[in-house]
Amino acid sequence: LVEPYVAYGYPSLKSVKDLLYKRGFGKVNKQRLPISDNSVVEGVLGKFGIICVEDLIHEVFTVGPHFKEAANFIWPLKLTSPKGRFGRKLL
């Protein structure tokens, strides 16, 4: 019943990497900044040993010891619906 609307299961490393590089934003002083370079990540998460975007991806994918801090740094992802799939159904 909900198969076409819900995705479930474990994400692959490629999908996590693509999401963070394409749509990833970080919280810096309660502001939404794009995760475009390593200085943004290092400035906030450097004290936890996460100094670059690849370290952030690894921490999120493997649910490492500082997952809570890494997940709190990442702004909620804004996704769009697939093109041409979720149209309105007329009754």
Side-chain angles (χ1 to χ4, degrees):
L1 186 65
V2 296
E3 287 282 328
Y5 304 106
V6 176
Y8 54 89
Y10 296 105
S12 66
L13 180 61
K14 182 183 182 308
S15 63
V16 172
K17 188 182 289 190
D18 288 346
L19 277 173
L20 284 180
Y21 274 119
K22 290 180 183 176
R23 299 188 180 264
F25 288 86
K27 292 180 195 170
V28 180
N29 296 329
K30 297 182 181 180
Q31 292 183 343
R32 182 176 179 247
L33 290 178
I35 304 174
S36 56
D37 61 353
N38 294 331
S39 64
V40 174
V41 176
E42 186 177 8
V44 177
L45 299 173
K47 59 187 168 228
F48 302 113
I50 303 171
I51 58 171
C52 63
V53 180
E54 287 296 323
D55 289 344
L56 179 64
I57 292 168
H58 180 267
E59 192 72 22
V60 169
F61 185 71
T62 61
V63 189
H66 298 291
F67 173 79
K68 183 177 179 181
E69 292 85 1
N72 192 28
F73 168 73
I74 299 170
W75 199 273
L77 299 171
K78 293 185 177 182
L79 302 176
T80 58
S81 62
K83 294 181 180 177
R85 286 287 310 255
F86 295 136
R88 291 182 114 191
K89 291 184 179 180
L90 299 175
L91 295 177

